Amino acid sequence: MAMDGDILFSIVTPSTGNRPNALRNAVDSVERAARFAGLERRQVEILIGFDGTRGCAPKCAYPVRTFSLPRDHNRGNGVRDTLLRLAGGDKIVFLDDDNVLKPNALDLYRRHFDAEMVIGRIDTQLTLGQPMLPEFERTPLFRPDNLDLLCLCLSRSLVMDRCGGWHHHGEPGSAFLNMRDWHRSARSVTLLEEVVGIHDAGRSLDSSALSSRQRAFLDGLIARRGAPLAPPAVLGARTGPVLA
């Protein structure tokens, strides 16, 4: 385990730049989790990559580094690739700007610091028709509809040194393909029953910045209830690149 004072966790956050409230909510969740885990200021870094735009860094008691990156239009893949190369922590945690960490997440990850890959459950009630992912009871565990980057805490040496960072940029299901590569190369994997994050927790905080996936999900809910669909002005038309 790293010594006190070293960077233990690098939080990798791609952002469209048009979700300032959701981004602030995500960063706040990191601060709460870091405080709950008793981490010192220099033991956590938050890396925010803005996809082809400029954005502001939310205030946080822990260091936040922001990068205005070339427009990628590839669901955050290029942004994640760049941020991984800049990350200095022993562990990597992926946190998109519309998700949040649970307060106990970093504490759980610190308890299992020796594991190269930790897989925790995430709350998906706002995203899917099921309460949590992954389903450990069904096999195989590694299938596209059962995992999300938010579930993972990964050794940087696994991701960068042995696997060479983020691959499969232009392929459908890029995130899943990378997760599968890391799993195949991991020397130790720990599964957690506890919930470590909430998917889409910030989706309603910036009404003009819903992703196409979020809009489709909400449209489906409204349609199943037999109500007329809300106009685009209410649901919010996308004005920026779509991130996963």
Side-chain angles (χ1 to χ4, degrees):
M1 188 173 189
M3 300 295 292
D4 288 347
D6 292 345
I7 301 176
L8 302 186
F9 296 101
S10 291
I11 313 298
V12 171
T13 301
S15 178
T16 58
N18 60 351
R19 299 172 181 163
N21 296 320
L23 178 60
R24 187 179 308 112
N25 194 46
V27 170
D28 285 348
S29 78
V30 177
E31 181 172 337
R32 287 192 297 271
R35 290 185 183 280
F36 185 88
L39 298 175
E40 298 176 3
R41 185 177 184 276
R42 301 303 303 182
Q43 291 180 312
V44 178
E45 63 173 2
I46 304 169
L47 309 177
I48 301 173
F50 293 108
D51 190 354
T53 186
R54 288 188 174 276
C56 296
K59 292 182 179 179
C60 183
Y62 294 83
V64 178
R65 299 164 63 192
T66 61
F67 305 88
S68 297
L69 303 175
R71 189 174 297 277
D72 184 56
H73 279 308
N74 193 17
R75 302 180 67 83
N77 292 330
V79 176
R80 294 187 187 99
D81 186 17
T82 299
L83 296 182
L84 282 173
R85 299 179 190 282
L86 296 169
D90 290 314
K91 299 293 182 177
I92 302 293
V93 176
F94 292 97
L95 180 69
D96 287 3
D97 63 0
D98 47 2
N99 298 334
V100 297
L101 294 180
K102 294 283 284 183
N104 62 337
L106 297 183
D107 184 55
L108 288 168
Y109 294 152
R110 197 175 189 187
R111 293 186 204 174
H112 301 280
F113 211 80
D114 290 338
E116 288 198 325
M117 170 179 274
V118 178
I119 304 174
R121 293 187 187 273
I122 60 171
D123 184 331
T124 56
Q125 296 181 78
L126 300 174
T127 309
L128 304 172
Q130 61 189 86
M132 289 187 294
L133 288 180
E135 295 179 323
F136 293 137
E137 300 79 13
R138 295 175 57 192
T139 56
L141 173 63
F142 270 78
R143 59 185 193 274
D145 62 346
N146 198 42
L147 281 173
D148 186 89
L149 290 169
L150 183 60
C151 299
L152 305 181
C153 176
L154 301 156
S155 164
R156 181 165 56 91
S157 63
L158 165 66
V159 174
M160 299 306 297
D161 298 339
R162 295 210 305 281
C163 294
W166 187 275
H167 298 293
H168 312 290
H169 287 249
E171 299 178 50
S174 173
F176 172 72
L177 294 175
N178 279 285
M179 288 189 286
R180 187 183 63 185
D181 289 349
W182 300 330
H183 182 249
R184 288 173 174 172
S185 298
R187 293 169 181 159
S188 54
V189 179
T190 296
L191 306 181
L192 302 179
E193 292 287 346
E194 293 89 345
V195 175
V196 297
I198 304 175
H199 202 270
D200 273 6
R203 74 177 182 194
S204 63
L205 299 180
D206 301 278
S207 60
S208 64
L210 292 173
S211 72
S212 58
R213 176 186 55 74
Q214 291 165 344
R215 291 177 61 196
F217 177 73
L218 292 177
D219 284 354
L221 286 179
I222 294 171
R224 286 195 294 274
R225 292 171 181 169
L229 297 181
V234 175
L235 287 179
R238 288 289 302 176
T239 58
V242 177
L243 296 183

